Amino acid sequence: MSDALGSAASTAGRAAKKNPLADVAQSEAADRLKSEVQDYLAAQATRLLTGVGTKLGETTGKLNDIAEGNSPDSPSSPSTADASSPRARARCGPPSRSAPAR
């Protein structure tokens, strides 16, 4: 049985030597490519996490405003006073049109 394992290992070793991709995978160029891909993925992950952190901060600020009673949906907020948001326009109706100045 050990002869069969030795023969299989020997055959696998010869096959790896004949495979041109095995040489390329162990080359300096492949190592550099791997390094560049890792750097790229690290930069993309940083960019993603920065965006998530920014959105989380904005959402936290909005939730704090709501908890303090400064909800964007409250009647005293500027967004509903001038009916500039779509939600405010739906609630207040279309803005009144004043006569043009002459």
Side-chain angles (χ1 to χ4, degrees):
M1 180 119 180
S2 65
D3 288 339
L5 291 177
S7 176
S10 175
T11 303
R14 282 190 303 247
K17 288 180 185 176
K18 291 180 183 178
N19 186 354
L21 293 179
D23 293 335
V24 172
Q26 301 301 322
S27 71
E28 185 177 328
D31 291 340
R32 176 150 184 227
L33 179 61
K34 290 175 197 174
S35 174
E36 293 294 330
V37 168
Q38 286 175 343
D39 291 345
Y40 172 77
L41 292 175
Q44 291 300 314
T46 300
R47 182 173 166 244
L48 173 74
L49 291 174
T50 300
V52 168
T54 300
K55 288 293 186 182
L56 182 60
E58 290 172 0
T59 302
T60 302
K62 289 177 183 179
L63 288 173
N64 283 336
D65 287 345
I66 291 169
E68 293 170 357
N70 300 328
S71 172
D73 293 334
S74 68
S76 62
S77 72
S79 66
T80 57
D82 65 1
S84 61
S85 71
R87 182 175 284 166
R89 283 193 300 270
R91 216 180 11 237
C92 301
S96 62
R97 302 202 187 261
S98 59
R102 292 183 188 219

